[in-house]
Amino acid sequence: MKRAIFVNLILLCLFGCETNKALVSEKHEKEIRIVDIQTGYQMREMQKGNIKYHFLLNKKLDTISIKTFDKKFIVNEGYKIGTKWKDISKELTDSSYELFGFGYYVELKSGWNLVFCVGNTCTDSFPDENAEVKYIEKRMRERVKDQSTLFKE
């Protein structure tokens, strides 16, 4: 168990959230699967309109999350990729939370999360006023604030 945790930490350091190279391809019986390095879930892409989305699938092929790095995507609240921390309402930034190794999350009423990635591990330090939204994500289950688990049971 300790070895698996150590290997995951090494991989996280090498392929941190600051880059979009957080994908690993595996060849599987004439099919190539793309796996998210942080979660181990299968990742697929789709395009709706002019916007590209990535979605993660668990082993049962249930959708776990949908995210986009596309600057054309704008959430109902008016935020988009590149929005600065200082341009988000204080009420929202005050309720933000850190998910170690994944980033700082600002939850929106629409169900989307603005994700800030600071440093190599995405959680090196709290976002400053000029930090920008790196991606926008919607989880199919709520995240648990202030806990190391990713999903509510």
Side-chain angles (χ1 to χ4, degrees):
M1 181 66 178
K2 288 182 181 180
R3 178 177 275 171
I5 292 171
F6 178 74
V7 169
N8 285 333
L9 285 173
I10 294 297
L11 290 173
L12 178 62
C13 290
L14 292 174
F15 303 101
C17 160
E18 188 64 31
T19 69
N20 287 337
K21 297 178 183 176
L23 305 176
V24 174
S25 294
E26 295 179 353
K27 201 164 191 175
H28 231 7
E29 298 178 7
K30 297 182 182 178
E31 141 185 357
I32 295 179
R33 290 188 326 155
I34 298 175
V35 178
D36 181 75
I37 196 78
Q38 287 180 309
T39 63
Y41 290 130
Q42 183 177 351
M43 180 181 278
R44 294 198 181 160
E45 293 181 354
M46 72 175 205
Q47 189 158 339
K48 184 173 182 181
N50 277 343
I51 298 173
K52 187 184 228 179
Y53 298 92
H54 301 269
F55 56 102
L56 297 179
L57 303 172
N58 66 12
K59 290 181 181 180
K60 295 178 183 177
L61 297 180
D62 295 326
T63 302
I64 299 300
S65 72
I66 300 171
K67 62 180 148 186
T68 185
F69 297 88
D70 199 318
K71 294 181 179 188
K72 294 177 290 231
F73 180 76
I74 301 172
V75 293
N76 293 341
E77 294 84 352
Y79 302 115
K80 60 184 180 176
I81 306 298
T83 299
K84 294 187 186 244
W85 184 266
K86 66 183 177 186
D87 297 329
I88 298 171
S89 78
K90 184 164 175 29
E91 178 185 345
L92 289 173
T93 57
D94 283 350
S95 66
S96 66
Y97 63 96
E98 172 187 0
L99 193 58
F100 182 75
F102 287 86
Y104 292 88
Y105 286 74
V106 176
E107 294 178 331
L108 303 175
K109 289 183 181 180
S110 62
W112 291 97
N113 295 294
L114 305 176
V115 184
F116 291 83
C117 181
V118 182
N120 290 330
T121 66
C122 289
T123 53
D124 285 356
S125 64
F126 194 76
D128 65 21
E129 66 179 21
N130 290 313
E132 296 182 354
V133 173
K134 293 293 182 186
Y135 62 94
I136 299 173
E137 176 181 58
K138 184 180 275 193
R139 292 277 170 175
M140 298 303 113
R141 300 182 200 163
E142 286 184 50
R143 289 191 184 264
V144 179
K145 290 185 180 182
D146 303 322
Q147 294 185 15
S148 61
T149 55
L150 190 58
F151 303 110
K152 287 186 178 178
E153 298 298 322

